Amino acid sequence: MNLYIGREASKLWKRFCAEISTEISLLIENWKYLLGGLIFQYIHGVAARGVHYIHRPGPILQDVGFFVLPELGQDKAYLSETLFTFLFLSFVAWSFHPFILKSKRIYTVLLWCRVLAFLVGCQILRILTFYSTQLPGPNYHCREGSRLATLPPPDNAYEVLLMNFRGVLYGCGDLIFSSHMIFTLVFVRSYQKYGTQRFIKQLAWLLAVTQSLLIIASRKHYTVDVVVAWYTVNLVVFFVDKKLPELPDRTNGTALLPLSTKERDTKTRDESHKLLNGNSVDPTDRRQRTQVNGKIPEDGNAVHVNTTMNGA
């Protein structure tokens, strides 16, 4: 029993080291995209913090979702954040599963490059939207009478740039559209495309719908914020996904890393040379093929194509 455990642990460690080596190579090649996406997450947070300074509380707008869903109240507002945290951590854990599990279809670095591209596209539209029009916040800390509903003018730029964690949690004014739904839908759509478990895919969409209802019930956003997020995020992901190169599928046992331009040109020349000599470009195809009158039969057998004379 101990020998079996030791053998499996050794295999797991070797697989982990191999994945680390591969992902580091991909990270060196794509670090600019990851860094740019992470920096924009900070820019998005600063923009959300900045709009809080110009937020003015007022009467809550008429909202169909507020009529249908009773308010959870301040004591149950954690339900929405708890579900979002679960979805966030679950996706992050899944994105690193190739380091441990044998069944792997993705490279973690390439997946996060793609995810950050989706997030940045959606967040740019979100910043433009909530700076265009500020709605009175429906959340309890954004209503009239709350000392958190407005912020005094900043003394300097550092006060805005060095945003604190409390300011992120208790922001007001960044309503249309929901940032929580941006992350939720991007994560769910990414797993829908690259995940393997059908049950988890169905559960993920169910949790996304539940997250939408909890956001409205906790009065973190108006219903329009959630509705706009559903079609905007899906459209952005659809169009950005068409522009990005597809992730290599690891299940077919292809090369771990994409070829460089020089290697790709060399491979193309070798394949062309083999075709001119009548050889297969597939090294696994070992069938003997006889060239007859400039043609290579598919079944590997020589075919006589010369016709007899005088109609015989």
Side-chain angles (χ1 to χ4, degrees), residues 196-222:
T196 57
Q197 301 297 323
R198 183 179 179 182
F199 169 75
I200 297 180
K201 294 179 182 181
Q202 296 172 343
L203 178 62
W205 284 110
L206 177 62
L207 293 179
V209 174
T210 305
Q211 176 72 64
S212 303
L213 299 177
L214 287 176
I215 288 175
I216 299 173
S218 60
R219 302 301 189 259
K220 295 181 182 295
H221 284 274
Y222 292 105

Side-chain angles (χ1 to χ4, degrees), residues 234-294:
N234 281 287
L235 288 174
V236 169
V237 171
F238 175 79
F239 285 108
V240 173
D241 191 52
K242 294 293 183 182
K243 299 295 183 181
L244 297 176
E246 187 52 74
L247 292 184
D249 191 350
R250 306 185 63 176
T251 56
N252 55 13
T254 55
L256 290 179
L257 295 177
L259 297 176
S260 63
T261 304
K262 181 178 179 180
E263 293 170 333
R264 190 162 52 243
D265 293 340
T266 303
K267 183 178 180 182
T268 303
R269 287 196 300 269
D270 292 343
E271 291 178 353
S272 301
H273 181 69
K274 290 179 181 179
L275 286 172
L276 290 175
N277 290 322
N279 298 325
S280 170
V281 298
D282 187 1
T284 61
D285 191 356
R286 300 301 183 186
R287 296 177 299 174
Q288 181 179 0
R289 300 190 178 189
T290 306
Q291 186 171 358
V292 181
N293 293 340

Side-chain angles (χ1 to χ4, degrees), residues 222-235:
Y222 292 105
T223 305
V224 65
D225 303 338
V226 175
V227 172
V228 171
W230 268 92
Y231 64 74
T232 302
V233 174
N234 281 287
L235 288 174

Side-chain angles (χ1 to χ4, degrees), residues 34-254:
L34 290 173
L35 181 61
L38 293 175
I39 290 176
F40 196 86
Q41 300 309 302
Y42 168 74
I43 295 175
H44 174 257
V46 171
R49 174 69 171 175
V51 79
H52 195 170
Y53 287 99
I54 57 178
H55 172 260
R56 294 295 177 268
I60 299 178
L61 303 179
Q62 184 174 346
D63 191 284
V64 174
F66 292 176
F67 286 115
V68 175
L69 297 173
E71 185 174 0
L72 292 177
Q74 184 175 351
D75 56 333
K76 296 182 180 179
Y78 68 91
L79 293 176
S80 174
E81 291 297 328
T82 301
L83 179 57
F84 175 76
T85 303
F86 171 76
L87 290 170
F88 186 92
L89 296 179
S90 298
F91 181 82
V92 171
W94 170 77
S95 69
F96 284 92
H97 82 277
F99 288 86
I100 301 175
L101 302 181
K102 293 182 180 180
S103 58
K104 44 199 173 187
R105 293 184 56 189
I106 61 170
Y107 297 104
T108 302
V109 169
L110 298 182
L111 175 69
W112 276 104
C113 286
R114 208 174 193 87
V115 168
L116 287 172
F118 298 152
L119 293 176
V120 169
C122 296
Q123 289 166 343
I124 289 175
L125 295 178
R126 181 173 188 261
I127 292 172
L128 294 175
T129 306
F130 66 63
Y131 267 104
S132 300
T133 303
Q134 291 80 48
L135 303 180
N139 209 341
Y140 68 91
H141 65 268
C142 297
R143 300 173 187 176
E144 289 183 300
S146 173
R147 62 182 182 84
L148 298 175
T150 57
L151 293 177
D155 297 329
N156 49 59
Y158 292 104
E159 186 177 335
V160 181
L161 296 177
L162 299 177
M163 53 183 181
N164 53 45
F165 185 71
R166 180 180 176 85
V168 174
L169 290 179
Y170 295 96
C172 299
D174 58 328
L175 291 176
I176 300 177
F177 44 95
S178 171
S179 178
H180 283 58
M181 290 308 302
I182 290 178
F183 281 90
T184 299
L185 293 173
V186 166
F187 291 165
V188 171
R189 280 191 61 105
S190 297
Y191 187 83
Q192 175 69 32
K193 185 172 183 178
Y194 300 110
T196 57
Q197 301 297 323
R198 183 179 179 182
F199 169 75
I200 297 180
K201 294 179 182 181
Q202 296 172 343
L203 178 62
W205 284 110
L206 177 62
L207 293 179
V209 174
T210 305
Q211 176 72 64
S212 303
L213 299 177
L214 287 176
I215 288 175
I216 299 173
S218 60
R219 302 301 189 259
K220 295 181 182 295
H221 284 274
Y222 292 105
T223 305
V224 65
D225 303 338
V226 175
V227 172
V228 171
W230 268 92
Y231 64 74
T232 302
V233 174
N234 281 287
L235 288 174
V236 169
V237 171
F238 175 79
F239 285 108
V240 173
D241 191 52
K242 294 293 183 182
K243 299 295 183 181
L244 297 176
E246 187 52 74
L247 292 184
D249 191 350
R250 306 185 63 176
T251 56
N252 55 13
T254 55

